[in-house]
Amino acid sequence: GAVVSQHPSRVICKSGTSVKIECRSLDFQATTMFWYRQFPKKSLMLMATSNEGSKATYEQGVEKDKFLINHASLTLSTLTVTSAHPEDSSFYICSARDFPTGETQYFGPGTRLLVL
Amino acid sequence: QQQVKQSPQSLIVQKGGISIINCAYENTAFDYFPWYQQFPGKGPALLIAIRPDVSEKKEGRFTISFNKSAKQFSLHIMDSQPGDSATYFCAARRSGGYQKVTFGTGTKLQVIP
């Protein structure tokens, strides 16, 4: 099956710093990638839809200046959490839809962010 | 607004038993209904999915039953095993546009020996 990787798998940073998370589709092209956030024992909340070569589309309530998304190629999307604060601590998961059929979303293993 | 309602929140089943998780939706624009399995600290993995023109789909021990008129669908895990212990999410994908997926609230399944 299709593989999506995320890097890093875990990151601890100080409050005020910025953190970049990478999402890669390893064996397929993905014109569309999605970024989710998951709190402990909770469901996945869609943050934004990332499209190769264009601006990301953010869900209501998600600060686009806080969570910067770049989808520079068909296999890579990045999420940068700017000026991170403890309340940004969460599990961030990306998914990618295979191109061109786009039938299935494949999820990455997630990135655990802890802001001290 | 919770577009996909999932129940129960948690479920304990004995080994060999049947695990049943139910979901309901309101938006008729949904055209694809996947189920995901998630282990602690891992990303969700697609388990099985169904389209609304099919009433049932079976893959191994996993079966989805779909009731389009009632806007309900359910996951049945036959012969449940301890290795099935995980959190299960139903989901619904919107047709058109970016085909966003909306997740249910999740069911934590524990299969006891």
Side-chain angles (χ1 to χ4, degrees):
Chain A
V3 178
V4 175
S5 70
Q6 280 184 243
H7 177 80
S9 59
R10 181 175 306 206
V11 57
I12 302 173
C13 69
K14 292 183 179 180
S15 185
T17 61
S18 294
V19 175
K20 180 186 282 188
I21 302 170
E22 291 185 350
C23 176
R24 293 182 185 272
S25 56
L26 297 185
D27 51 1
F28 66 100
Q29 293 182 329
T31 52
T32 303
M33 291 183 172
F34 302 90
W35 286 96
Y36 294 85
R37 184 174 181 175
Q38 186 178 33
F39 290 105
K41 300 182 180 180
K42 297 294 184 182
S43 187
L44 284 78
M45 182 191 79
L46 179 64
M47 298 174 64
T49 302
S50 168
N51 299 288
E52 188 267 337
S54 65
K55 290 184 178 180
T57 305
Y58 291 83
E59 295 300 299
Q60 190 174 5
V62 178
E63 299 176 60
K64 60 181 180 181
D65 295 330
K66 174 77 171 174
F67 300 99
L68 300 179
I69 291 173
N70 183 275
H71 194 154
S73 75
L74 285 173
T75 59
L76 173 64
S77 176
T78 60
L79 168 68
T80 301
V81 183
T82 62
S83 186
H85 288 93
E87 58 265 31
D88 298 324
S89 299
S90 190
F91 193 49
Y92 292 88
I93 308 172
C94 72
S95 71
R97 220 170 63 202
D98 60 327
F99 176 84
T101 60
E103 177 75 356
T104 303
Q105 276 193 35
Y106 299 95
F107 283 81
T111 296
R112 176 76 59 191
L113 171 63
L114 176 61
V115 184
L116 302 177
Chain B
Q1 180 184 2
Q2 182 60 47
Q3 295 192 52
V4 181
K5 296 181 179 179
Q6 183 172 347
S7 64
Q9 187 174 0
S10 63
L11 182 61
I12 299 175
V13 173
Q14 281 207 307
K15 179 181 176 182
I18 302 174
S19 303
I20 302 175
I21 304 171
N22 300 300
C23 285
Y25 65 98
E26 291 293 327
N27 193 340
T28 55
F30 292 141
D31 68 347
Y32 179 72
F33 301 86
W35 283 89
Y36 289 90
Q37 179 189 56
Q38 185 180 32
F39 293 103
K42 304 294 183 182
L46 179 66
L47 202 57
I48 186 173
I50 197 168
R51 289 190 170 277
D53 54 349
V54 176
S55 61
E56 185 175 282
K57 183 175 182 179
K58 183 177 180 179
E59 288 184 2
R61 296 185 294 110
F62 302 93
T63 300
I64 300 178
S65 297
F66 192 89
N67 185 330
K68 187 175 181 179
S69 60
K71 297 180 188 174
Q72 295 175 348
F73 57 111
S74 60
L75 175 70
H76 294 229
I77 306 175
M78 313 299 286
D79 187 26
S80 299
Q81 299 296 313
D84 296 330
S85 298
T87 298
Y88 292 82
F89 293 96
C90 63
R93 188 190 71 184
R94 211 168 307 165
S95 60
Y98 298 123
Q99 299 183 330
K100 298 177 186 178
V101 172
T102 300
F103 283 81
T105 48
T107 297
K108 185 173 182 179
L109 170 65
Q110 184 181 359
V111 181
I112 54 176

